[in-house]
């Protein structure tokens, strides 16, 4: 399990169009409810990392700068194996009764069976953590998937009237990744970025005959792949603080600026939850600063 109160997290950095503070009452008004929407989902806000907290929101008012909460989404999905066998049975029955079953009819049967089974399926909950940074006007969402983040941003707009949009790179990230890989250190927001040796690569337009996607786990192998015309799409990085070399942040950044595998500090023994939250929020904010700086590089 990952998230802002776990050992690691993903991160999508979203910039807000307003510096307004978030209203806790508005969060409660759009808290998770068991009501099912037109798409067969249940969703809403809950306390950070707690799918059952729809009222307390304990970590939202710890600090004037940071506010933490989670987006809970419950969905139902029918078993693919059950759909296939019931479809086969339905087709066989119709053929046995003398009916012709073409592609269109099979599609109709499948849709009906899927809808029936989905309506009977149990809801499966999922949580995506959110961190509002009032100082930087950022919403940090604990997912690297644009598809998963979209309903979070939609509810955020509905709840607070604030548009938050994922940041995008101003330049060619594969070229910047290559620069970081080949350099002795890339200065960035009080840290120095170094490659950790693991990268995902894809063929460039000039090397279409190469493998579409490849993963290399050593700096030499990645460097060789670049020489052969491959381009880095995701790079594992370590950021060392210029002020405190013992402070290091490790994460993977992709060409779309989504962060994954950000390692969070191990909580101190008997540390209060509030203190752990603030430490982790500070780490996430520092990484967001770096990613925003990288995003503006042309």
């Amino acid at each position: 399990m990952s998230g802002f109160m776990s050992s690691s997290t993903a991160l999508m950095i979203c910039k807000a169009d307003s510096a307004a503070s978030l209203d806790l009452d508005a969060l409660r008004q759009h808290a998770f409810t068991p009501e099912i929407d037109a798409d067969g989902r249940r969703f809403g806000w809950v306390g950070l990392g707690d799918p059952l907290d729809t009222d307390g929101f304990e970590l939202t008012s710890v600090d004037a700068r940071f506010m933490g909460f989670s987006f809970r989404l419950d969905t139902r999905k029918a078993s693919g194996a059950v759909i296939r066998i019931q479809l086969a049975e339905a087709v066989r029955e119709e053929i046995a009764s003398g009916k012709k079953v073409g592609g269109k009819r099979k599609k109709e049967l499948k849709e009906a069976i899927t809808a029936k089974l989905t309506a009977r399926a149990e809801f499966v909950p999922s949580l995506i953590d959110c961190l509002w940074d009032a100082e930087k006007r950022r919403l940090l969402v604990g997912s690297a998937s644009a598809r998963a983040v979209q309903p979070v941003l939609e509810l955020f707009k509905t709840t607070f009237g604030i548009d938050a949009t994922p940041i995008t790179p101003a330049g060619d990230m594969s070229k910047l990744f290559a620069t970081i890989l080949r350099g002795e250190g890339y200065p960035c927001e009080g840290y120095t970025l170094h490659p950790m040796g693991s990268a995902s690569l894809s063929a460039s337009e000039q090397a279409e005959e190469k493998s579409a996607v490849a993963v290399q786990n050593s700096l030499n192998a990645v460097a060789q792949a670049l020489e052969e015309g491959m381009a880095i799409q995701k790079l594992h990085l370590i950021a060392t603080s210029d002020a405190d070399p013992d402070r290091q942040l490790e994460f993977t950044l992709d060409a779309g600026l989504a962060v994954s595998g950000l390692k969070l500090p191990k909580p101190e023994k008997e540390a209060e939850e509030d203190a752990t939250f603030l430490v982790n929020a500070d780490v996430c904010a520092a990484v967001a600063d770096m990613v925003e700086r990288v995003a503006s590089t042309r």
Side-chain angles (χ1 to χ4, degrees), residues 118-161:
T118 299
R120 293 176 178 175
E122 293 290 334
F123 278 101
V124 178
S126 63
L127 288 184
I128 297 180
D129 289 352
C130 299
L131 182 68
W132 171 248
D133 184 341
E135 182 179 303
K136 297 297 179 73
R137 293 169 53 183
R138 287 189 302 226
L139 178 68
L140 307 182
V141 185
S143 173
S145 165
R147 182 177 179 181
V149 167
Q150 189 56 41
V152 180
L153 300 184
E154 290 171 359
L155 184 59
F156 188 78
K157 172 67 180 296
T158 299
T159 304
F160 302 110

Side-chain angles (χ1 to χ4, degrees), residues 15-282:
K15 290 295 286 185
D17 66 351
S18 170
S21 59
L22 304 193
D23 183 0
L24 186 56
D25 286 336
L27 198 67
R28 290 194 175 105
Q29 287 171 12
H30 292 85
F32 176 85
T33 73
E35 296 179 9
I36 303 172
D37 75 354
D39 295 320
R41 309 172 303 169
R42 308 188 304 200
F43 64 89
W45 304 120
V46 294
L48 185 63
D50 185 350
L52 301 181
D53 178 9
T54 59
D55 181 63
F57 294 97
E58 297 297 334
L59 293 175
T60 55
S61 55
V62 172
D63 180 79
R65 176 178 176 181
F66 297 116
M67 184 174 181
F69 45 93
S70 293
F71 174 79
R72 175 177 167 181
L73 174 65
D74 288 8
T75 55
R76 291 187 289 198
K77 185 176 181 181
S79 163
V82 177
I83 291 173
R84 286 192 294 273
I85 194 168
Q86 289 199 10
L87 176 60
E89 290 171 345
V91 169
R92 185 173 63 182
E93 287 175 5
E94 293 210 352
I95 292 174
S97 66
K99 296 179 181 178
K100 289 186 177 180
V101 183
K104 182 179 179 181
R105 180 54 181 161
K106 282 185 178 179
K107 183 179 179 183
E108 291 173 349
L109 288 170
K110 184 177 181 180
E111 288 176 349
I113 289 168
T114 300
K116 181 180 178 181
L117 291 174
T118 299
R120 293 176 178 175
E122 293 290 334
F123 278 101
V124 178
S126 63
L127 288 184
I128 297 180
D129 289 352
C130 299
L131 182 68
W132 171 248
D133 184 341
E135 182 179 303
K136 297 297 179 73
R137 293 169 53 183
R138 287 189 302 226
L139 178 68
L140 307 182
V141 185
S143 173
S145 165
R147 182 177 179 181
V149 167
Q150 189 56 41
V152 180
L153 300 184
E154 290 171 359
L155 184 59
F156 188 78
K157 172 67 180 296
T158 299
T159 304
F160 302 110
I162 299 173
D163 269 312
T165 307
I167 61 173
T168 55
D172 187 335
M173 284 299 298
S174 61
K175 289 183 179 179
L176 181 58
F177 284 153
T179 298
I180 294 173
L181 182 81
R182 291 169 173 148
E184 295 183 358
Y186 187 87
C188 186
E189 295 296 315
Y191 287 80
T192 301
L193 298 176
H194 295 275
M196 287 291 287
S198 174
S200 297
L201 305 107
S202 66
S204 66
E205 293 179 1
Q206 295 76 27
E208 292 182 355
E209 73 281 2
K210 300 289 185 181
S211 171
V213 177
V215 178
Q216 300 288 353
N217 293 309
S218 77
L219 291 177
N220 289 338
V222 175
Q224 180 61 36
L226 294 182
E227 294 299 324
E228 294 175 359
M230 301 288 278
I232 300 174
Q233 297 301 316
K234 186 183 292 185
L235 187 62
H236 188 188
L237 298 164
I238 189 162
T240 302
S241 170
D242 299 337
D244 179 8
D246 289 332
R247 179 176 166 86
Q248 296 184 327
L249 307 178
E250 186 178 341
F251 58 94
T252 296
L253 182 65
D254 72 18
L257 302 178
V259 173
S260 58
L262 169 59
K263 292 188 176 180
L264 297 173
K266 187 176 181 180
E268 297 284 341
K269 278 190 176 182
E270 299 180 2
E272 294 289 335
E273 192 176 46
D274 289 4
T276 298
F277 168 69
L278 291 177
V279 169
N280 291 357
D282 182 65

